[in-house]
Amino acid sequence: MSEFHVHPQAAVVEEGGVARFQCQIHGLPEPLITWEKNQVPIDTANERYTLLPKGVLQITGLCEEDSGVFHCVASNSASVRVSHGARLTVSGSGPPTYKEPAILVGPENLTLTVHQTAVLECVATGNPRPIVSWSRLDGRPIGVEGIQVLGTGNLIISDVSVQHAGVYVCAANRPGTRVRRTAQGRLVVQAPAEFVQHPQSISRPAGTTAMFTCQVQGEPPPHVTWLKNGQVLGPSAHVRLRNNNSTLTISGVGPEDEAIYQCVAENSAGSSQASARLTVLWAEGLPGPPQDVRACSVSPTEVRVSWAQPRAPIQDIVGYVLHIRKAADPPELEYQEALSKSTLQHLVSDLEPFTAYSFYIEAYTAQGPGLASAPVLASTLGEAPAAPPLSVRSLGSSTVQLLWEAWPRLAQLRGGFKLFYRPASAPFFSGPVLLPGTSSSYNLSRLDPGAVYELRLLAYNQLGEGNATVRFVSLRGASERAEAAPQASTAGLVVGIHIGVTCTVLCALFLLCGQKGRLLLCKDVENQLSPPQAPRGHRGAGVLALSGAALARRGQAAKELEQLFPVGGAAGRPDPHGTPKPTVPAAPGEDTEIPMRPLGPQPPEPTCTACHPDTPTALPAGRLPEGLPGGGQPLPPPATLVPQLADSNP
C-alpha cells in the first residue's frame, strides 16, 4: 500500500448536526477501510454511523458522547496502515432555531467502468431535518435494481452499466414546504471494446474478392485497426477499408494476400482483438496474369484496352474478363465485360468524358479465373459541352427570366455559360453575358415591350463552345395584360362593393320580414281569443303587411280563423271615431283585406299563448269568451281546456 493521500480532518459540530471524515489510500489488492474512535473500532450497528466505500465516515444526529479522536485504518494482504487522528468536538446546540436546508457535501463527478460500484454522496443539514431525494436530470427513472440508499441520503449503484450514465440531482427538502436545495454530479460509465461480430476465416479463388467484417461496440466508441500477419494494414490499390474500418475488402486476391488478418478494437476502457485467416485457392494449370496491359483514351467516351497472352499454360484459356470502374469508386462498383479467348484488345465505350478509369483483366479456364493483371489507369478525353436545356418566362412588360440546369462540372474545366440576345429584326446580337457554371437563371431586363427577341444560351469549357439553345420571346401580351390590370381591378372593386351592399340590404329585409311573418298568425288568434273590451279601433290591433306568396298564405289563414271564431267587427271596418283603418288588398282570388298596423306607439295587446306559452291568455273570470264553442259556459278545468280548444280547430 502507498501512504495515505487524504487524512481525516478535525471538526467542531453543533449537537444534532452531521460530521464527516474521509481518507484515501491505494494498494494492491484494494485496501479495506475501517474506522476507530479512541483506538476502538466503531460500532457499525449504530444507525447514526454510515461507512461508505472509498473511505468516508458520516455521523448524523451528533451528541456529546460522539466526541473523540477518529482514525482511518486501511488493510490488505500486504500490510496495515493507520491514518492521522482527527478530533471531533460536539458543542452545545442551545435553544432550537429554524435553519434553512443546506447540502454540506454533494455528489461528485465520477468516471467508472462497467460492473464497478458508484457512490453518490449527499450530506444535508437544517432544522427541521431536511428530507433527501434523488432524481436524474434527464427525467428518466433511476430504477430499483442494484440501487440502495445508505445513511440519510447516499445513493449506491452496484454493478453499473452504460444505461446508468447521466447527471444525478440530490435535493434537500424542508418537510411540509417547497423549500429545497439541490446539488448534482455526472456519472460517466465506460465500457471496453466488445465484439458484436467476429471476422470469419474464408477461402477464395485467386483473382476474386475477399471481405472481412468486424463489428464492435463500447463506450466511448472503439477505434478499429487491421493487421496482416501482425503488421498494420492500410488502404492500397486493391485493399479498401470502409464503415469506420469495420469492413476490410481485398480485390483480386493472390498468393501474397494469403495471411492471418487481425481486427483490433480499443478505447479508453480497454481493447480486444479477433483474427481470421484468408486462404487463396490455386488450382493447377490456371493461367497467370495477362501481360503488357495498356489503356489508351480514344475519345471523350471511349478507351481502348490491349494486352498480351499470359505465360503458360494458355491452352486451356476459354476467354477473358475485363474489369472496369471509375478510379474514384470503390471496388464493389466495378463492372465486367466478357471477351473471347482470341481477343487481345477491346474498345470500352459509354464512358464519361474527362474521367479517370481503372482497368484490369483476367484469363479464365474451365477450372476458374487465373491471376489478375495489375490495374492500369486511363482518363477519357474532354469535349465541348452539349446545348443546355432552356426555358423562358415573362416577369413583366420589359423583363424575362431564363431558366436552365446548373452544371457545376463546368467550373472544374474553366467553363460556364454565354448568353446572346437581340430583337428579331436586328442584324447583330448583344453580349455575350458570361455566367458561371453553377448559375441556373438570369433576368434580362430593359427590353422593348413591342419587340420579339431571339435568345441564345450556350455552355463552354477549356475545349471549346457547345451548341447554342435558341428561344424566341415576345413581351407584347405581357404589356397588354399589365395595362389592363389596373382598369380591371378598379371595375372589379366597384362591382364587388355594389354586390356586397345589395346582399347586406336583402339579408336585413329578409330577417325583418321573417320575424314579423312568424307573428302574423299568432296576432290574429290572439285578437279572436281575447274578450271584447273595446272596439277594435281603440285596441289598435293591426298586422304587418306582407308581399307575394307569403301575403296570400297569411290572408287565407286569417279567413279560416274568421270562419272558425266569428266575432263582432270585421277587418277593415272603420273604428267608432271615424278613422278608417288602413288595409292591404288580399291576394288575387281572395276577398279578405288584411289590416295594417298603424305607425307610432301602440297600446299594449294581450299576449298569445301560442307565441308565448309561459304567459296565459286573459279570459273572463271563470267563463269561456263569447264566440268560442261553449262560450259563456263555466270555465272547465285546465286539464280539459286544451283538448276542447284543439278539437274546435281541425
Side-chain angles (χ1 to χ4, degrees), residues 52-68:
L52 301 180
K54 309 300 181 184
V56 174
L57 171 63
Q58 297 175 358
I59 308 174
T60 59
L62 289 173
C63 53
E64 291 185 4
E65 53 265 28
D66 293 323
S67 298

Side-chain angles (χ1 to χ4, degrees), residues 184-226:
Q184 64 185 33
R186 180 180 296 275
L187 173 61
V188 177
V189 181
Q190 295 183 343
E194 180 181 5
F195 284 97
V196 178
Q197 180 180 354
H198 292 75
Q200 302 295 320
S201 296
I202 54 176
S203 299
R204 291 290 181 269
T208 60
T209 299
M211 181 180 296
F212 295 101
T213 300
C214 176
Q215 298 286 347
V216 296
Q217 65 181 10
E219 185 60 38
H223 175 69
V224 176
T225 305
W226 286 91

Side-chain angles (χ1 to χ4, degrees), residues 38 92 216 237 311 515 532 578 598:
N38 297 331
V216 296
R311 296 188 178 92
Q515 178 66 24

Side-chain angles (χ1 to χ4, degrees), residues 229-282:
N229 289 337
Q231 303 296 319
V232 176
L233 181 64
S236 63
H238 73 297
V239 175
R240 191 172 183 86
L241 298 173
R242 297 183 297 111
N243 301 329
N244 293 329
N245 291 354
S246 63
T247 301
L248 170 64
T249 303
I250 307 172
S251 58
V253 297
E256 67 279 3
D257 297 312
E258 190 170 84
I260 294 177
Y261 294 86
Q262 293 171 278
C263 173
V264 180
E266 56 184 345
N267 62 7
S268 57
S271 63
S272 298
Q273 73 89 27
S275 59
R277 177 185 292 275
L278 171 61
T279 301
V280 179
L281 302 178
W282 183 263

Side-chain angles (χ1 to χ4, degrees), residues 79-97:
S79 61
V80 176
R81 292 189 182 276
V82 181
S83 71
H84 300 162
R87 178 172 294 277
L88 172 60
T89 303
V90 179
S91 62
S93 61
T97 59

Side-chain angles (χ1 to χ4, degrees), residues 353-560:
F354 209 73
T355 304
Y357 284 86
S358 172
F359 306 90
Y360 70 93
I361 193 166
E362 296 172 319
Y364 269 72
T365 66
Q367 289 75 31
L371 292 178
S373 68
V376 295
L377 296 176
S379 295
T380 55
L381 300 176
E383 64 177 355
L390 176 64
S391 61
V392 182
R393 66 177 182 178
S394 174
L395 297 182
S397 60
S398 61
T399 303
V400 295
Q401 184 179 47
L402 292 79
L403 301 170
W404 64 90
E405 183 179 354
W407 291 353
R409 189 175 179 82
L410 285 176
Q412 303 174 7
L413 303 177
R414 298 196 297 272
F417 297 97
K418 292 182 180 181
L419 172 63
F420 301 86
Y421 64 97
R422 67 173 179 179
S425 59
F428 304 107
F429 281 93
S430 298
V433 179
L434 298 180
L435 303 170
T438 55
S439 63
S440 60
S441 65
Y442 182 75
N443 293 344
L444 196 60
S445 58
R446 298 181 181 179
L447 302 178
D448 183 2
V452 176
Y453 280 84
E454 180 182 358
L455 309 176
R456 289 177 175 264
L457 181 70
L458 59 86
Y460 69 94
N461 59 19
Q462 59 187 6
L463 300 176
E465 296 180 350
N467 294 328
T469 302
V470 181
R471 294 288 184 269
F472 290 89
V473 60
S474 173
L475 296 175
R476 183 177 296 110
S479 176
E480 294 173 355
R481 288 193 300 270
E483 293 176 357
Q487 300 177 3
S489 300
T490 303
L493 179 61
V494 173
V495 172
I497 292 175
H498 282 290
I499 292 176
V501 172
T502 304
C503 290
T504 304
V505 173
L506 291 178
C507 288
L509 292 176
F510 177 79
L511 294 176
L512 180 60
C513 293
Q515 178 66 24
K516 295 297 184 178
R518 283 194 298 269
L519 295 178
L520 174 62
L521 180 59
C522 180
K523 288 297 183 180
D524 281 327
V525 174
E526 177 181 307
N527 292 337
Q528 301 301 326
L529 292 180
S530 300
Q533 299 174 0
R536 292 172 63 110
H538 289 283
R539 287 180 289 165
V543 182
L544 177 66
L546 300 179
S547 62
L551 183 61
R553 290 195 298 270
R554 296 300 183 267
Q556 180 65 26
K559 181 177 180 180
E560 294 176 357

Side-chain angles (χ1 to χ4, degrees), residues 296-304 347-354 379-383:
C296 178
S297 180
V298 177
S299 73
T301 59
E302 296 176 322
V303 171
R304 177 174 286 107
L347 185 65
V348 183
S349 59
D350 295 330
L351 303 179
E352 294 184 7
F354 209 73
S379 295
T380 55
L381 300 176
E383 64 177 355

